[in-house]
Amino acid sequence: MTVTKITFFDIPTVLPVPTSPNTWKVRLALNYKGLCYQTRWVETTDIESVSKSLGIPPTGTSPSGVPTYTLPALIDNTFSPPAILSDSTPIIEYLERRYPDPDPTHVLLPSGSRALQALFEYHVATSITAHLLPVMVMHMYSKKTPRDRAHFRQRMEAAFGKKLEDIELKGRDREEAWKRIEGSFDLLSKLLEKNVHGIYFMGENLSLADCMLGGLMLTLRYDSPDEAWLKVVSWNNGRWARYMAALEKWAVVH
Ligand SMILES: N[C@@H](CCC(=O)N[C@@H](CS)C(=O)NCC(=O)O)C(=O)O
């Protein structure tokens, strides 16, 4: 394990593990790279104030032009001045730059693959992540800390103009939404079959794409073990259970 002074900012839940896809994406990368880091847990309610107090940059702007703050974030005090970063992909790019693996096959962003990795991320975000809220909202809510539950309910109800419980699809609409999500996993599975060797998107070596999809899968597994995860592992002849098993050694919380 490489000794560093890295603080990684993640969101706590009522479980012993986090459930945020973007923080899992970076955690998988940190663990894969064998970096030593400590986690600072920040409830969603406090992300903005903690980020501002530490000089962590915003990751977006609200429609009214106000800067918005998200996790993951990372502060690396190994060097002077410290690196202070937010946004999952730039954090992973930084880690790759600062801590290249001596083994040239252990590269999360192989040279020349950034556009394809970005295209993959865009595809998963628009074909899977964007469709999850109406089937996951109550699962997500139930795993949040009590403070974050209140914050989540208030923001979601303001955004959708209805009660949290009514954002969630039920009955036939719910099954149809799951079918669409299954279709997106089917496509990924078909594409993975094109690789002759290896279980990952770039074959035998983990890449950013796997950190992203792996992070999303960990969210499904921990937020919704008895619905989402049961479905995912039943799809594509168990491909996703095998895929997750391959990532398991890096899916740990330090
Ligand atoms: N582009 C950012 C997005 C990060 C993001 O959306 N993080 C969520 C948790 S997975 C968050 O911090 N949400 C805080 C909030 O909704 O206030 C990244 O890739 O890191």
Side-chain angles (χ1 to χ4, degrees), residues 38-111:
Q38 57 171 22
T39 303
R40 177 156 167 197
W41 298 100
V42 179
E43 289 178 289
T44 309
T45 320
D46 299 324
I47 294 175
E48 181 174 341
S49 60
V50 170
S51 298
K52 282 181 173 166
S53 73
L54 296 171
I56 295 170
T59 51
T61 351
S62 74
S64 57
V66 179
T68 52
Y69 295 83
T70 55
L71 293 185
L74 182 143
I75 297 183
D76 186 357
N77 273 301
T78 314
F79 309 98
S80 182
I84 306 182
L85 300 127
S86 53
D87 213 353
S88 54
T89 298
I91 294 174
I92 293 176
E93 287 170 346
Y94 164 82
L95 295 172
E96 284 285 86
R97 224 171 29 244
R98 269 295 189 190
Y99 302 100
D101 197 292
D103 179 343
T105 62
H106 283 188
V107 179
L108 292 171
L109 277 159
S111 160

Side-chain angles (χ1 to χ4, degrees), residues 189-204:
S189 181
K190 275 204 199 76
L191 298 178
L192 274 173
E193 274 167 27
K194 291 179 185 286
N195 281 348
V196 182
H197 300 293
I199 196 164
Y200 303 117
F201 279 89
M202 293 201 65
E204 286 170 345

